[in-house]
Amino acid sequence: PEPPSGSSLNVHDLYQENDSLILPADVTASAFYITNIHNYLIGNAASGGWAGFAFPNLPTPLGVHRHEKLRPSSVTGLTIDGNTAHSTGWWWKSSAGFYLGGSLYYNDDDVLEYNAGRDLGNRRSTCLVNKCQGSFGCGAYCRPREQDWVKISNMKAFLVAGVGFSSWN
């Protein structure tokens, strides 16, 4: 399949897993594709790709871990510092060297689906508390006093088609 493209802020194409596309997010291949932001990402350099660093939202884990009590899009980052992205994102006018957005999820038909653009139904809600362990379940969002930021520092981006950093979370 063709990578998502467009001249507006939104990408409207949805991609689903099939025999020739096992992971639908592969249509936006990036040098660093981080589905678990709760990591140390220090001093990396990304060249080329849909974005240099892509951080999609996952409302549930994938594959064999799918039914674990965890909402990946709610965890916070550990250390994301000193990373560089260049020569990325020429497929989409609104692309970025560092892109926090898009979502990878199981749809109502239980098929893995990817939305590369703004997805208001699967937003990132980083939380200091693991809501999956509480009585409300993984669907509960953080109260204001429980919210936290994804902290990204000392990043550099150059020769990108759009902006250096983009977040729709």
Side-chain angles (χ1 to χ4, degrees), residues 112-134:
L112 191 59
E113 188 168 78
Y114 181 63
N115 176 346
R118 185 180 302 178
D119 184 354
L120 299 177
N122 292 301
R123 298 178 63 180
R124 188 179 308 275
S125 178
T126 51
C127 196
L128 296 169
V129 177
N130 183 351
K131 292 294 187 174
C132 295
Q133 301 299 321

Side-chain angles (χ1 to χ4, degrees), residues 33-53:
Y33 189 82
I34 298 117
T35 57
N36 180 3
I37 204 166
H38 194 72
N39 272 297
Y40 297 95
L41 301 165
I42 302 168
N44 297 289
S47 177
W50 195 77
F53 294 80

